[in-house]
Amino acid sequence: MNLHEYQAKDIFKDYDIPVPEGIIASTPDEAYEAAKKLGDGITVVKAQVHAGGRGKAGGVKLAKTPDEAKSHAASMLGNQLVTHQTTVEGLPINLVYIEKGSAIDKEFYLSMVIDRSAERLVIMASAAGGMDIEEVAETSPEKICTVSVDPAVGISGYHIRKVGRILDLSSEQTKELGMLLKNLYKLFDECDASLLEINPLILTDTGAIVALDAKINIEDNALYRQPNLVDLRDVTQEDESELEAAKHDLNYVTLDGNIACMVNGAGLAMATMDLIQLKGGRPANFLDVGGGATAERVAEAFKIILNNSNVEAVLVNIFGGIVRCDLIAEGIISAVKEVGVSIPVVVRLEGTNVEKGRELLAESGLSIAAATDLTVAAEQAIELAKGSA
Ligand code: GDP
Ligand code: MN
């Protein structure tokens, strides 16, 4: 689960991590009042969306006066912000965060993330912070230092010195950094974060270290024990189909291709997507209907995958192990009838009662193409998608 920048900064404050003073606003008038309250000088108007790259996309603007803050807020609120991290539709800007402007001397990059292969948290830091850390990683990876943390020991002098060195900090600033790293580590641990990123972490003109941006991702599997964080969820920033799927316990992820997939088992779903890609097509989604796929779940799944307007064909790939193929066939038939599918559907069934399942599909009178082989099924779906486009 993602948090907004202002929510992340509120949490930062609880952990004594320095952030600029700021006030949230949902209308241009509130933005005016907020800027006025923050006092004379520059304020920064920041669109609150679950995506980075806001600065380059016009979602971060400096204002010299409360009037200017108001007009920036008016130009953002109610609109969609499209950044290189969003879809082409972008994300709705329902809130702007008004911050006291900071005088920036240097911009650093600092993050903590779980490295699954090392089974440890790693700290990443770079003096080349600001907006384009992906490019730094691509072109000059030596400018980024990575150091892992032993969970039995936590942050130690070694980590602090290593990060302090790459950021070229004075010994006084390195002490400050040490506090910051320890506090961030505590936050990461206590909030069950999966990612914590500050880009930029700045040195101000007076030499203070301040988190100018803040991104926190919470591990979804730990949300059951983080009720206070769950309250911060903003579903307006999330994919509608994914939310709907979650309600029905379906594992679904929207992708940008045109061939919808309905598969039982996550591994088989991955393999199916790979095969579509290998044969020159592009999957429109990942969907695992689960081992206990019932007719109702199959119907719900159909509704969700067809809700994507890019979809031009459906590929159903079910291996009947625990479930029986005839039951799945019945589910597919009733779903196609109920939902009124107008695009080609290719079904590959294999496993228990497969003959009966194929028979049911053949006798259904619906235009469902039955394939016995997965490779053929993928090719067929790709071909049919071209025809229906
Ligand atoms: P992002 O583009 O979504 O990562 O948004 P950020 O919060 O990181 O802001 C983008 C950029 O705006 C930063 O890298 C800064 O260069 C600039 N910026 C943000 N706040 C301030 C500020 O208070 N003063 C100044 N001068 N620049 C700022
Ligand atoms: Mn940033």
Side-chain angles (χ1 to χ4, degrees), residues 38-120:
L38 291 172
D40 297 332
I42 304 271
T43 56
V44 188
V45 181
K46 308 186 81 176
Q48 297 300 292
V49 294
H50 284 182
R54 296 167 303 165
K56 286 193 170 164
V60 177
K61 286 183 175 159
L62 303 186
K64 290 191 203 73
T65 63
D67 273 313
E68 206 182 337
K70 181 179 172 176
S71 79
H72 286 328
S75 73
M76 293 181 195
L77 288 165
N79 290 313
Q80 301 280 117
L81 186 70
V82 180
T83 83
H84 71 271
Q85 290 186 6
T86 68
T87 60
V88 285
E89 289 94 43
L91 289 169
I93 308 172
N94 301 319
L95 293 167
V96 289
Y97 194 45
I98 315 298
E99 261 185 355
K100 216 180 171 94
S102 306
I104 303 172
D105 185 21
K106 283 182 184 155
E107 296 197 356
F108 304 138
Y109 174 89
L110 179 67
S111 68
M112 290 183 180
V113 65
I114 300 290
D115 177 347
R116 286 174 195 274
S117 53
E119 299 178 352
R120 286 186 178 187

Side-chain angles (χ1 to χ4, degrees), residues 318 320 323-330 349-354 357:
I318 302 280
V323 290
R324 284 165 25 208
C325 288
D326 53 327
L327 280 185
I328 291 294
E330 276 172 21
L349 283 178
E350 203 49 80
T352 313
N353 284 6
V354 64

Side-chain angles (χ1 to χ4, degrees), residues 2 8-10 24 49 80 105 108 139 151 167 248 255 259 268 280 284-285 287 296 315 322 327 329 338 362 367 373:
N2 266 329
K9 283 179 171 169
D10 275 347
I24 197 74
V49 294
Q80 301 280 117
D105 185 21
F108 304 138
T139 57
L167 301 185
H248 298 282
L255 300 170
I259 298 174
L268 192 57
N285 65 273
L287 170 65
E296 293 77 45
L315 173 56
I322 298 169
L327 280 185
E338 187 195 332
S367 70
D373 175 79

